[in-house]
Amino acid sequence: MKRICKLSLLALFGAALCLSAWSKSDTSSKKRKKRSKKDSRTEAEAQVKQSDIPTLGGATVSEKVAGSEVFVQGRSITIPKLWMCDHEVTQAEYKAIMASEPSSFKNDRLAEGEVQENRPVENVSWYEALVYCNKLSMAEGLNPCYKIKGSTDPSTWGEIPLDDDNAWNSASCDFNANGYRLPTESEWEFCARGGTLEEEGRTLYSGSDDIDSVAWYRKVSAEKTHEVKKKSPNKLGLYDMSGNVGEWCWDWYGKKLRADTPASGLSSGINRVVRGGSCFNNPRDCTVSERDMCPPYLPDGSVGIRVVRTLK
């Protein structure tokens, strides 16, 4: 049984967010002098920065990809030009936008030498992920992608449901908007595979056939999350797409995707797609081809967010 919800998320971060400090810096030189060497940390050391990631996508996949349940025979999928965050949304990044931080992994389970605020946020539902994306877009002056109850402003959506909700399940996504959104499952898998769908250069995990080099999984994670970007990235410069926390995708989950399944996934369902595996999972569940699911209203301590933006 997988840990991820078996009950039945590039220049993408704007400078204002990615270069913000994770904690308020002391303005008083007197206070700075009082801090011990152990507590002292420069701004650069205390924060995660967005790496210089090339534009991704801009490709159409029409052939079956061996081992993939997404790129199947007869299904033609165009991966738009996009930016994808090189790391999973951190606890600090989430709190800066949402003014709260729900993660279940706190300081008492912090690995030595790591920064708490730079661990991935988790315990976030799919509904909450949509709110985060639109609020982040609005904070940066971008056009929000998601619309619920006829509005793109989350302040008009009401309380985030704690149970299955028809209005929230009917959310629409403007894939042409320039704001932040969750990746579709096909976008996620294309990027996790490093943009390499041919047999040559293909890897079992995101970035390597050696899982220890790229993923926090059960054997090495001590079943807890770790600061993002501590393992090696894949060839596109993306970190932690295998392991650490599973990542929400836009799509409704379908056990068997067909040639006529739209690139944005099924039009309805019970669960939303989760990809990548987590710190609780065995190696098989952290491969680039493994698929998982979770009810959209359910926060889970093994599921987080990675965001993308569509480029014109």
Side-chain angles (χ1 to χ4, degrees), residues 117-190:
E117 292 83 356
N118 292 344
R119 297 169 85 175
V121 70
E122 26 77 18
N123 209 31
V124 175
S125 72
W126 186 87
Y127 294 159
E128 290 170 309
L130 267 56
V131 174
Y132 173 80
C133 288
N134 272 26
K135 283 190 172 184
L136 177 58
S137 298
M138 294 168 67
E140 296 192 7
L142 301 172
N143 298 321
C145 296
Y146 298 121
K147 183 178 287 187
I148 294 177
K149 301 178 182 178
S151 174
T152 59
D153 184 354
S155 68
T156 68
W157 296 353
E159 294 294 322
I160 299 173
L162 300 178
D163 206 342
D164 201 40
D165 186 277
N166 288 334
W168 286 66
N169 289 341
S170 298
S172 62
C173 180
D174 181 357
F175 291 98
N176 292 315
N178 65 356
Y180 297 93
R181 60 179 175 83
L182 300 175
T184 64
E185 186 176 19
S186 56
E187 290 169 347
W188 188 96
E189 185 168 324
F190 180 88

Side-chain angles (χ1 to χ4, degrees), residues 16-27:
L17 180 63
C18 281
L19 299 182
S20 63
W22 298 140
S23 59
K24 293 182 179 179
S25 59
D26 282 320
T27 57

Side-chain angles (χ1 to χ4, degrees), residues 42-282:
T42 67
E43 182 178 321
E45 291 173 326
Q47 67 183 357
V48 170
K49 294 179 183 292
Q50 173 70 30
S51 300
D52 185 15
I53 302 300
T55 299
L56 309 178
T60 297
V61 183
S62 300
E63 301 294 329
K64 174 177 173 56
V65 175
S68 176
E69 297 179 10
V70 172
F71 298 107
V72 297
Q73 188 66 44
R75 191 183 187 199
S76 181
I77 300 175
T78 296
I79 308 296
K81 290 183 179 180
L82 53 82
W83 288 337
M84 173 176 275
C85 189
D86 70 352
H87 60 274
E88 295 158 335
V89 174
T90 67
Q91 294 180 11
E93 289 168 334
Y94 189 86
K95 186 175 182 180
I97 296 300
M98 300 290 280
S100 62
E101 202 289 287
S103 297
S104 54
F105 288 99
K106 300 299 185 183
N107 285 302
D108 61 340
R109 299 199 67 189
L110 179 65
E112 184 178 356
E114 295 187 7
V115 179
Q116 175 66 35
E117 292 83 356
N118 292 344
R119 297 169 85 175
V121 70
E122 26 77 18
N123 209 31
V124 175
S125 72
W126 186 87
Y127 294 159
E128 290 170 309
L130 267 56
V131 174
Y132 173 80
C133 288
N134 272 26
K135 283 190 172 184
L136 177 58
S137 298
M138 294 168 67
E140 296 192 7
L142 301 172
N143 298 321
C145 296
Y146 298 121
K147 183 178 287 187
I148 294 177
K149 301 178 182 178
S151 174
T152 59
D153 184 354
S155 68
T156 68
W157 296 353
E159 294 294 322
I160 299 173
L162 300 178
D163 206 342
D164 201 40
D165 186 277
N166 288 334
W168 286 66
N169 289 341
S170 298
S172 62
C173 180
D174 181 357
F175 291 98
N176 292 315
N178 65 356
Y180 297 93
R181 60 179 175 83
L182 300 175
T184 64
E185 186 176 19
S186 56
E187 290 169 347
W188 188 96
E189 185 168 324
F190 180 88
C191 293
R193 290 178 178 273
T196 300
L197 301 182
E198 303 297 329
E199 184 173 356
E200 184 178 355
R202 191 179 299 160
T203 58
L204 190 59
Y205 309 101
S206 184
S208 179
D209 287 328
D210 174 21
I211 188 173
D212 289 355
S213 67
V214 295
W216 294 108
Y217 68 107
R218 176 177 289 177
K219 181 180 177 181
V220 300
S221 69
E223 296 194 10
K224 61 185 178 184
T225 62
H226 291 262
E227 182 177 345
V228 300
K229 301 176 70 167
K230 288 294 186 180
K231 293 287 187 174
S232 297
N234 70 8
K235 64 175 59 180
L236 292 178
L238 305 172
Y239 296 81
D240 298 308
M241 294 199 78
S242 288
N244 216 7
V245 293
E247 300 174 11
W248 285 113
C249 292
W250 163 255
D251 309 41
W252 286 108
Y253 178 85
K255 186 174 182 180
K256 186 175 179 60
L257 303 182
R258 307 186 314 182
D260 60 354
T261 303
S264 57
L266 301 173
S267 59
S268 63
I270 298 174
N271 299 293
R272 294 282 179 170
V273 171
V274 175
R275 296 296 300 261
S278 76
C279 58
F280 295 104
N281 286 138
N282 293 317

